[in-house]
Amino acid sequence: SMVFLQLSRAVASIRRVGEVMDTEIDLTDRDASRKDLAVLKGKVEFKHVSFSYTDNRDEMVLEDINFTAEPGQIIGIIGSTGSGKTTLVQMIPRLYDATKGQVLVDGVDVREYSLKNLREGVGMVLQKNVLFSGTIEEIREMAQSAQADSFVTSFTNGYDTDMGQGGVNVSGGQKQRLCIARALLKRPKILILDDSTSAVDTATEARIRQCFNTSLKDTTKIIIAQRIGSVEEADRILVLDEGRLIGQGTHE
């Protein structure tokens, strides 16, 4: 009877996996006209962008978003949970495509880039990241900017410390700093931080922002934050509420 139950579950699982594997990917660069183009400056523009997760255009998650981020600027995004902050930034590297309107990078619609070249120019750090097993020797160069050097050097084996799968041997704040350092290694033209300093104390976060202003001077930085202090030095702050951009300007 146990074998029969397991077999029934296995058959159902195989069918489900088959459905996933057979699903045609609808987000491709097959029709892109500028596949050889790379992201060189990092200018980001949203022009009347609306987005829905379904085909029902009456259920828009984002509605008529308009803003421009010039190369090297810091853009802060704040808003309540569920206001569409993460969805907004995920359209820059084309994790989603706009339902209406255009997302432009360096004046070119993101759908005209090859996915490889577009995503090569964008660094993204999430609130919850995955750390793979291995040593952290390779990110020594950027660890100081991410304020990770102090705790890494305190380990017995320093930069040769072996990371457990998922970063089980570091704290939440340390994991976030290592993930920031990893993103900086790409030297991206656009850096997106999606509430990625939430587990870091305010003093350390301030030092990270200071390093952004020096070592990433030409990189466009888009920061989603819950703490107003995280974005008060931004060149422009966007305020989202229920998928709408209800205000933008400086902290003042």
Side-chain angles (χ1 to χ4, degrees):
S1 62
M2 288 292 291
V3 170
F4 180 75
L5 287 172
Q6 292 292 336
L7 185 61
S8 299
R9 290 177 180 173
V11 170
S13 298
I14 288 171
R15 286 175 180 164
R16 179 66 187 126
V17 170
E19 288 176 10
V20 173
M21 298 300 291
D22 292 338
T23 299
E24 187 174 344
I25 298 173
D26 58 1
L27 201 159
T28 69
D29 56 9
R30 191 167 42 238
D31 299 323
S33 62
R34 307 285 298 274
K35 288 187 178 181
D36 58 334
L37 193 65
V39 179
L40 299 176
K41 295 181 180 177
K43 181 178 180 179
V44 177
E45 297 174 83
F46 276 62
K47 292 186 174 181
H48 302 288
V49 171
S50 297
F51 175 77
S52 174
Y53 284 110
T54 67
D55 293 330
N56 186 352
R57 298 201 171 201
D58 293 329
E59 299 178 359
M60 290 294 182
V61 178
L62 294 169
E63 289 190 61
D64 198 29
I65 304 296
N66 292 279
F67 75 89
T68 300
E70 297 292 342
Q73 280 191 330
I74 301 176
I75 304 296
I77 303 178
I78 60 174
S80 59
T81 301
S83 59
K85 303 186 297 296
T86 297
T87 304
L88 180 79
V89 297
Q90 286 179 336
M91 285 191 279
I92 299 171
R94 276 198 78 195
L95 300 183
Y96 296 110
D97 272 340
T99 305
K100 295 179 183 177
Q102 281 184 302
V103 179
L104 308 175
V105 171
D106 288 349
V108 178
D109 193 306
V110 291
R111 287 169 282 208
E112 303 304 323
Y113 286 91
S114 71
L115 288 172
K116 181 180 183 299
N117 285 352
L118 175 64
R119 293 172 180 174
E120 193 69 27
V122 180
M124 197 164 186
V125 186
L126 306 175
Q127 183 178 12
K128 294 182 179 179
N129 295 275
V130 176
L131 286 177
F132 301 98
S133 56
T135 68
I136 47 184
E137 172 66 33
E138 291 180 336
I139 64 170
R140 181 195 295 266
E141 182 182 358
M142 292 300 174
Q144 290 183 341
S145 294
Q147 303 303 305
D149 182 71
S150 57
F151 74 81
V152 171
T153 53
S154 70
F155 295 151
T156 303
N157 295 324
Y159 278 90
D160 287 319
T161 299
D162 193 68
M163 298 299 300
Q165 182 69 36
V168 294
N169 51 341
V170 291
S171 69
Q174 291 172 341
K175 186 187 295 187
Q176 285 186 335
R177 280 178 273 173
L178 288 173
C179 289
I180 291 172
R182 180 175 62 184
L184 297 181
L185 274 177
K186 288 182 68 175
R187 299 189 181 279
K189 294 299 179 182
I190 302 168
L191 177 65
I192 299 170
L193 302 178
D194 188 355
D195 202 17
S196 52
T197 55
S198 58
V200 175
D201 64 86
T202 53
T204 302
E205 184 185 26
R207 290 195 294 272
I208 293 174
R209 292 200 307 270
Q210 183 60 39
C211 287
F212 285 170
N213 293 332
T214 54
S215 59
L216 293 177
K217 194 173 182 180
D218 298 326
T219 297
T220 306
K221 297 160 282 287
I222 300 176
I223 303 172
I224 293 176
Q226 298 295 334
R227 298 185 293 221
I228 191 69
S230 303
V231 294
E232 63 182 358
E233 296 176 4
D235 297 294
R236 183 178 304 159
I237 300 172
L238 311 180
V239 184
L240 288 180
D241 183 49
E242 295 185 356
R244 291 180 177 273
L245 183 58
I246 62 171
Q248 56 177 304
T250 64
H251 177 63
E252 287 72 22

